[in-house]
Amino acid sequence: IEGREFINSSCKISRVKGDWDAFDANGICSSNDATIIIGTPCSLYLQYCNDIIIERAGTYNLTIDMVNATMLLEEVVVYPEALFLCGNLVDANWDPAFDGAILDPTDEGVYSIKNIELVAVNGNANAYFSFNTTTGSWDDVNKAARYGAESPDQAVTIGENMTVVSGGSSAFAWMVEPGTYDFVVSLKDMTLVVTKATTGIESIEADKNAPAIYYNLQGVEVANPENGVYIKKQGNKVTKVVK
């Protein structure tokens, strides 16, 4: 069976269909209602149909090998179309309906967004955030998947991998100094990387501090330009100068 969603943590499998007496009498099950560990083959038993206990609800491929008497449950991972950053945003403070901070997918299960400003509010020294898979009311958001930190108010280490956990309706928020940041979330690896965004002012300062290189109008580099018109390149900035 491929791509079957199990909304409960148990099920029954039989070699025949019909009424419950026939179904149960021809059952296929694991030993003593043992929990099936996802991705690990378990032994099959042909006996009165006990419940098959699944490690957790989800979407799975189920393979039953009657020759070797094993059952294998493999999870089918379905990544959300996008993630929404929610928190102390400068434009929307913990507004679950705000869709202006969308992390778009850049690879399978990987999402990113740049230049998001977080601010401190309500007398706090830090800003807080987590991620949702939808927008709307808090009821809408809490019914969908939410992702957050491992513990309450976990401080972000800039530039390092942080562990992401699926927190259901009570995802813990990360804590970071107010500022403008870039975010990369991998639901494949369940990691978050936060880096400081490069602003226009920082780029100008970087250009000012970069070494200046001069070229004459024929494009030849000149070590000591004087008495003429030259092209000056400093960082990413190119200008015409007269010496």
Side-chain angles (χ1 to χ4, degrees), residues 4 43 47 69 77 81 88 92 101 138 161-162 177 186:
R4 179 56 59 90
S43 298
Q47 60 185 42
V77 179
E81 294 183 3
N88 296 140
W138 277 115
N161 283 339
M162 307 291 296
E177 291 183 357
S186 172

Side-chain angles (χ1 to χ4, degrees), residues 213-223 225 228-232:
I213 302 173
Y214 295 88
Y215 300 89
N216 62 25
L217 297 182
Q218 287 71 46
V220 178
E221 184 175 343
V222 179
V229 179
Y230 299 90
I231 303 300
K232 176 184 175 183

Side-chain angles (χ1 to χ4, degrees), residues 80-94:
E81 294 183 3
L83 291 179
F84 301 87
L85 193 152
C86 191
N88 296 140
L89 296 166
V90 67
D91 298 318
N93 182 43
W94 286 107

Side-chain angles (χ1 to χ4, degrees), residues 98-226:
F98 183 66
D99 61 0
I102 303 175
L103 284 81
D104 293 318
T106 58
D107 199 353
E108 184 181 20
V110 180
Y111 308 81
S112 69
I113 191 171
K114 292 185 176 183
N115 297 318
I116 294 298
E117 184 178 359
L118 296 172
V119 296
V121 298
N122 300 327
N124 293 318
N126 295 292
Y128 299 84
F129 67 92
S130 62
F131 301 96
N132 306 329
T133 56
T134 188
T135 59
S137 68
W138 277 115
D139 286 341
D140 295 331
V141 169
N142 288 335
K143 289 176 183 178
R146 296 182 63 194
Y147 297 95
E150 293 181 287
S151 58
D153 302 339
Q154 183 176 350
V156 168
T157 303
I158 300 299
E160 295 188 8
N161 283 339
M162 307 291 296
T163 299
V164 174
V165 297
S166 178
S169 62
S170 57
F172 293 130
W174 278 284
M175 179 176 69
V176 69
E177 291 183 357
T180 303
Y181 297 96
D182 299 337
F183 301 83
V184 178
V185 177
S186 172
L187 296 184
K188 181 184 294 185
D189 302 323
M190 296 303 285
T191 58
L192 162 70
V193 178
V194 180
T195 54
K196 290 186 177 180
T198 301
T199 66
I201 293 176
E202 290 169 341
S203 297
I204 292 171
E205 290 300 320
D207 284 341
K208 287 182 179 179
N209 295 325
I213 302 173
Y214 295 88
Y215 300 89
N216 62 25
L217 297 182
Q218 287 71 46
V220 178
E221 184 175 343
V222 179
N224 298 299
E226 57 183 9

Side-chain angles (χ1 to χ4, degrees), residues 42-53:
C42 69
S43 298
L44 279 182
Y45 294 86
L46 306 180
Q47 60 185 42
Y48 190 82
C49 194
N50 294 326
D51 283 351
I52 296 173
I53 309 301

